[in-house]
Structures are given as C-alpha cells and as structure tokens.
Amino acid sequence: FMLTQPHSVSESPGNTVIISCTRSSGSIASSYVQWYQQRPGSSPTTVIYEDKQRPSGVPERFSGSIDSSSNSASLTISGLKAEDEADYYCQSYHRNNHVFGGGTKVTVL
Amino acid sequence: QLQLQESGPGQVKPSETLSLTCTVSGDSISSYSHYWGWIRQPPGKGLEWIGNIYYSGSTFYNPSLNSRVTMSVDTSKNQFSLRLSSVTAADTAAYYCARHLYNWNLPSHFDPWGQGILVTVSS
C-alpha cells in the first residue's frame, strides 16, 4: 500500500495547517499512524505516534487524527511558528511492512 | 539516554555490498519490547524503510529490497548491522538506524534515530 501526502503547504505564523495522509488500500484505522518532523540537516523526530499520541516535549499545538470516511490521517499544527518549518512524514504498516508517506514541506510565510 | 550511531564506509562501488553498523548506547539491544530498524533517505527525497531486526535475530524486510538485504545483531557488542548487496547509484542515500517501539505487540514509532550516515555509490 501507499501513503499519499501533499507535496507542500504554506501558512502564516499563528495560523493552522493540516497535512493529510491518505492510505491507498486497507483501512487507515487498521494500523497505527505516526508523524515525524525533519528539519534540514537533522534526523526525523516523532511528533505524533499511535494516531494521536504526543511524545513528551512536543507542544500541544501538534495533534493527530484519523478519518475512516476518507481513509486518511491528518496532522494539525495550530498557532504556527517559524520553528515548525520542516518536512513532515506520515508512517504506517501492514503486517510486517512499514511504509512512509512521501513527505510534506511546511513553509511558514 | 538512548543513543544510536551509524558507522561504515561513506562510499561503495557499484555492484559491491554496502555494510553498515549501528551501535546502541544507553539501553540493551536485548530489550524484549523493541525492534531495531534501518531507514534510508536519498538526497532531497523521502524516507524508505529497509528492515527491522529483533535481538533474537528475527528479521523482516521491505519487499522491494528483500532479495538484497541482510540484517544481523551482535548482542555482546550492543550492535546491529545492515548489508545491502549489488548496489547501484539508486542506493545512494543517508542511512539511519532507529529503535522501533512496540506497544502490546503492535508497531509504534521509530524513536530515537541515529544521526545518519551518507553512503554514495560511485566508482
């Protein structure tokens, strides 16, 4: 299966961005979805795991959700800050095969 | 604090075998609730999962790479390794190792990640 993300999104500071991650086959609800943030020159770090859980140290501005009707997951970043400018990847699995989405570049205008 | 560090050659010739090692510090690689994984990222592109290994040596690989990938673990050194055979320019990428957490036997997230190592396939 594949996970499809928009290539890029842009928004002004203080506003909200929503990044979608659509699963091509199989139910989005059948496997946990994770979201990773990757700043330029750095390794990815987890911002959301198990669909909607937020690791300690990640601001409450980051939230995750699942929508079975569209078979997609979403990462919402509210109160956008300059430091949120980065690439974001969703990730899920089917049996023992783990798949990443193509990534979304978030630009803070 | 758990840390992972990749090591190995930064350049490999086409048709040869890429070999990398990940050294784990701050936790035992024999932890029963974790797997250990390799993920790669071609320059300017997205992430691709390569495979996972358990401390017992049990492995599972990305189906698209399965025929060329071998992973192994050395619990005495707290290390795990990746071998990718018959490399081409398409295998040029930053290679990351990471702990793969599981929750009640269900895969969760990769955390933490190593700093990554850039491997270039070139003659």
Side-chain angles (χ1 to χ4, degrees):
Chain A
F1 72 98
M2 292 171 38
L3 297 172
T4 300
Q5 300 179 231
H7 183 68
S8 62
V9 295
S10 302
E11 194 51 83
S12 300
N15 288 354
T16 296
V17 294
I18 301 175
I19 304 169
S20 61
C21 172
T22 302
R23 181 164 174 154
S24 62
S25 62
S27 170
I28 192 70
S30 65
S31 312
Y32 286 136
V33 176
Q34 282 61 239
W35 290 92
Y36 303 91
Q37 176 191 68
Q38 185 179 33
R39 295 190 173 106
S42 297
S43 304
T45 60
T46 307
V47 291
I48 294 291
Y49 66 98
E50 295 172 18
D51 298 341
K52 58 183 181 181
Q53 304 302 317
R54 195 173 48 250
S56 60
V58 173
E60 292 183 9
R61 303 184 293 103
F62 289 82
S63 62
S65 63
I66 296 293
D67 181 2
S68 294
S69 65
S70 59
N71 212 36
S72 64
S74 294
L75 173 67
T76 300
I77 310 173
S78 57
L80 198 64
K81 297 185 175 183
E83 66 201 46
D84 300 331
E85 187 160 290
D87 294 326
Y88 293 83
Y89 295 89
C90 60
Q91 175 258 315
S92 190
Y93 60 90
H94 174 66
R95 294 182 181 175
N96 288 326
N97 183 27
H98 299 274
V99 175
F100 287 90
T104 299
K105 182 176 180 57
V106 171
T107 301
V108 181
L109 299 172
Chain B
Q1 179 182 354
L2 179 68
Q3 291 185 317
L4 292 85
Q5 178 70 58
E6 305 88 353
S7 60
Q11 185 165 330
V12 181
K13 291 182 169 56
S15 80
E16 295 190 345
T17 297
L18 178 160
S19 295
L20 297 174
T21 296
C22 181
T23 301
V24 178
S25 59
D27 190 14
S28 170
I29 202 168
S30 301
S31 173
Y32 66 93
S33 61
H34 305 153
Y35 274 77
W36 304 91
W38 288 97
I39 302 106
R40 70 180 183 177
Q41 183 174 36
K45 297 187 178 180
L47 301 168
E48 179 180 35
W49 173 72
I50 300 172
N52 278 10
I53 188 165
Y54 196 54
Y55 77 91
S56 63
S58 173
T59 56
F60 44 95
Y61 305 135
N62 186 321
S64 69
L65 299 170
N66 185 67
S67 63
R68 298 195 293 131
V69 172
T70 304
M71 293 176 65
S72 59
V73 62
D74 186 337
T75 55
S76 67
K77 294 182 180 179
N78 229 34
Q79 295 176 334
F80 61 104
S81 298
L82 168 72
R83 288 172 58 86
L84 181 66
S85 64
S86 305
V87 298
T88 69
D91 295 309
T92 294
Y95 286 77
Y96 297 96
C97 59
R99 178 181 61 175
H100 195 181
L101 294 157
Y102 275 60
N103 187 6
W104 290 99
N105 291 325
L106 293 177
S108 184
H109 56 304
F110 291 92
D111 182 80
W113 297 53
Q115 66 181 30
I117 182 170
L118 177 62
V119 179
T120 301
V121 178
S122 173
S123 56

